[in-house]
Amino acid sequence: MTETPQIGTPVPARARGDAVAATASTGPDPVISAQQVVRRYRRPRRSLTRPGPVVEALRGIDLDIAYGQRLGIVGESGSGKSTLIRLLAGLDRPTSGSITFAGREITRLPDRSLKFLRRDLQMVFQDPMSSLDPRMTVSDIIREPLVALGHPNPRARVAELLDAVGLPAAAAHRYPHQFSGGQRQRISIARALSPHPKVLVADEPVSALDVSVRAQVLNLLMDLVDDFSLTLIFVSHDLSVVRHLCDTVVVMHDGEIVERGPTTAIYERPTHPYTRALLAAAPTLRQALAVHAANRDRKEPQQR
């Protein structure tokens, strides 16, 4: 049985050491670099005479991500987290600025020239049911990116990945609706790992799961990042999960990065007012116990 992590404890020293070692062995250049990235959207027009208003989703983002790093991106809804990772993954283009992957500029490349990015960067999405084709078997789902990239032996790779994510070999012939939410997310992770990526982007990967299985999926994710020597970009509203998984944290607010640094330093000594407010608003076990004790004290006089 998978050991349940104590969410809220800092990432283990071994994990930080692995990340540092991976960075040192690959070289000083970042795997992803964003320079002065701006993304503006125009909302639909509400008048025949005036164009729709412009929304500035990202405002001059500068970000370097090293090989082997475990980067957590946190912030409230609308802070620009999802927009940023879509740009880093080449799923959208910035209005201005530059993004490079392994030293190659990707912002001006057409989609047909991004095959290297589709191979080396993969994503795990929030809702596994909506990201898996219900008409395809698990085997076909995992094989799909392998076939597109011309992998020589996709069947063997499917069996290897099912074992890696803790699913039986018989799961290959079943369909997504035949699995639980946690198992479907394991299938999504297997699909993301199939083309041997260098970077794994996890966008709220456990927020749609039951609390009872979140820790199991997070433990699996941590083990796979270590086993496959991946760079992890982890986006979440749950600050305790980010603290558990990541060695570096970026805090976003209103389309800007307001604070960044080592996880322990950010969580224990935040400097920006928004970061302090975000951490103060996050529920903790101590707060939950205090609320429980207060409710119990209010009920006891009534029972007497």
Side-chain angles (χ1 to χ4, degrees):
M1 181 179 292
T2 306
E3 182 184 357
T4 302
Q6 296 180 359
I7 304 300
T9 54
V11 68
R14 177 184 64 84
R16 289 203 190 96
D18 289 346
V20 173
T23 303
S25 64
T26 312
D29 295 332
V31 61
I32 299 177
S33 180
Q35 303 294 326
Q36 286 299 299
V37 171
V38 173
R39 184 62 173 107
R40 300 186 185 95
Y41 297 97
R42 184 175 292 278
R43 291 180 177 173
R45 63 168 63 233
R46 299 178 180 177
S47 168
L48 294 176
T49 58
R50 293 193 301 272
V54 174
V55 177
E56 199 162 24
L58 295 178
R59 309 181 183 192
I61 297 293
D62 289 318
L63 179 65
D64 287 338
I65 303 173
Y67 284 94
Q69 190 172 21
R70 292 181 177 185
L71 176 70
I73 302 178
V74 301
E76 61 189 343
S77 297
S79 61
K81 305 187 302 298
S82 295
T83 301
L84 175 59
I85 62 171
R86 284 179 57 83
L87 294 180
L88 298 182
L91 301 177
D92 193 8
R93 298 290 192 270
T95 305
S96 63
S98 170
I99 300 174
T100 59
F101 183 91
R104 297 180 65 177
E105 171 75 40
I106 66 171
T107 52
R108 295 172 181 84
L109 289 179
D111 288 340
R112 64 179 180 274
S113 300
L114 291 176
K115 186 175 181 179
F116 73 96
L117 183 63
R118 305 292 178 243
R119 179 189 65 241
D120 291 339
L121 185 148
Q122 288 287 314
M123 296 186 67
V124 177
F125 297 97
Q126 177 177 354
D127 183 4
M129 194 58 191
S130 64
S131 64
L132 301 176
D133 191 331
R135 299 166 296 181
M136 298 173 67
T137 65
V138 169
S139 176
D140 291 337
I141 288 171
I142 299 175
R143 289 172 53 199
E144 186 177 29
L146 298 174
V147 172
L149 294 170
H151 193 279
N153 192 359
R155 291 187 182 276
R157 181 64 174 162
V158 169
E160 174 190 352
L161 288 169
L162 286 176
D163 180 66
V165 299
L167 291 174
H173 308 294
R174 298 164 64 188
Y175 291 86
H177 73 271
Q178 297 176 286
F179 296 89
S180 66
Q183 290 172 325
R184 285 195 290 264
Q185 196 61 290
R186 290 172 184 263
I187 296 168
S188 297
I189 294 171
R191 180 186 61 182
L193 295 178
S194 61
H196 300 277
K198 297 176 182 176
V199 179
L200 183 65
V201 179
D203 185 10
E204 299 276 4
V206 296
S207 63
L209 303 180
D210 293 338
V211 175
S212 59
V213 298
R214 287 184 186 181
Q216 297 175 19
V217 174
L218 289 172
N219 268 333
L220 172 67
L221 200 57
M222 291 175 65
D223 291 340
L224 293 173
V225 167
D226 283 342
D227 294 343
F228 291 93
S229 300
L230 299 171
T231 301
L232 176 66
I233 303 174
F234 191 90
V235 179
S236 180
H237 288 87
D238 194 329
L239 299 179
S240 61
V241 169
V242 172
R243 184 172 189 176
H244 181 69
L245 283 180
C246 302
D247 54 63
T248 310
V249 176
V250 163
V251 182
M252 295 192 65
H253 177 56
D254 199 20
E256 298 178 313
I257 294 177
V258 298
E259 191 161 1
R260 72 186 82 196
T263 303
T264 302
I266 295 295
Y267 277 71
E268 295 181 358
R269 297 178 299 278
T271 59
H272 195 276
Y274 176 75
T275 308
R276 291 197 292 267
L278 204 63
L279 291 171
T284 65
L285 179 59
R286 181 176 297 178
Q287 291 171 348
L289 291 174
V291 171
H292 176 73
N295 290 335
R296 183 189 59 196
D297 292 341
R298 281 198 297 267
K299 291 179 181 178
E300 286 181 352
Q302 297 176 1
Q303 293 174 353
R304 294 191 190 125

